[in-house]
Amino acid sequence: MANALVNVPPRARRGEIIEIKTLMSHPMETGYRRSQLGTPIPRDIVRLFVCTYNGTEVFRAELHPAITANPFFVFSTVATESGTLTFQWTGDNGFSATESAAITVD
């Protein structure tokens, strides 16, 4: 089962650049490996990560089988107004996870 962790500063000044960190706990199986019996292990990866700030996309990453397990992203955006950052991961086999974090801008 996948778990998401997000780190967003709870407060910022208008116009301040804020750092955002996300970690998705996911095994990220490439589909290239084989089991001990020689059968292919099916691919199971997170394919897309999107962050929106009050509905506006501020970060997007498309992932491929070469990405490590537990993808970790650090990125920045400008604090423009109080609101919500929403984080969405989607992947193979119907995988989908969403987290959100509130920020207050002074």
Side-chain angles (χ1 to χ4, degrees), residues 9-18 53 78-83 102-106:
R11 298 189 81 79
R13 291 190 181 123
R14 188 173 311 279
E16 180 180 355
I17 296 172
I18 58 171
Y53 182 7
V78 177
T80 56
E81 61 187 355
S82 295
I103 185 168
T104 301
V105 176
D106 301 322

Side-chain angles (χ1 to χ4, degrees), residues 69-81:
N70 308 319
F72 176 68
F73 294 103
V74 178
F75 58 97
S76 300
T77 193
V78 177
T80 56
E81 61 187 355

Side-chain angles (χ1 to χ4, degrees), residues 59-97:
F59 185 83
R60 169 183 289 261
E62 294 179 11
L63 304 160
H64 301 278
I67 296 296
T68 186
N70 308 319
F72 176 68
F73 294 103
V74 178
F75 58 97
S76 300
T77 193
V78 177
T80 56
E81 61 187 355
S82 295
T84 304
L85 287 121
T86 303
F87 308 90
Q88 171 122 30
W89 295 263
T90 54
D92 293 339
N93 306 316
F95 174 78
S96 181

Side-chain angles (χ1 to χ4, degrees), residues 5-102:
L5 297 172
V6 297
N7 184 313
V8 175
R11 298 189 81 79
R13 291 190 181 123
R14 188 173 311 279
E16 180 180 355
I17 296 172
I18 58 171
E19 182 178 75
I20 299 164
K21 298 177 184 177
T22 69
L23 173 69
M24 172 52 69
S25 174
H26 190 281
M28 301 289 278
E29 184 55 58
T30 66
Y32 300 132
R33 295 183 328 131
R34 295 190 173 271
S35 72
Q36 291 178 339
L37 299 175
T39 58
I41 299 171
R43 186 178 104 156
D44 184 15
I45 67 169
V46 175
R47 292 183 321 246
L48 181 65
F49 168 69
V50 177
C51 175
T52 59
Y53 182 7
N54 287 341
T56 302
E57 187 175 299
V58 295
F59 185 83
R60 169 183 289 261
E62 294 179 11
L63 304 160
H64 301 278
I67 296 296
T68 186
N70 308 319
F72 176 68
F73 294 103
V74 178
F75 58 97
S76 300
T77 193
V78 177
T80 56
E81 61 187 355
S82 295
T84 304
L85 287 121
T86 303
F87 308 90
Q88 171 122 30
W89 295 263
T90 54
D92 293 339
N93 306 316
F95 174 78
S96 181
T98 303
E99 291 288 331
S100 61

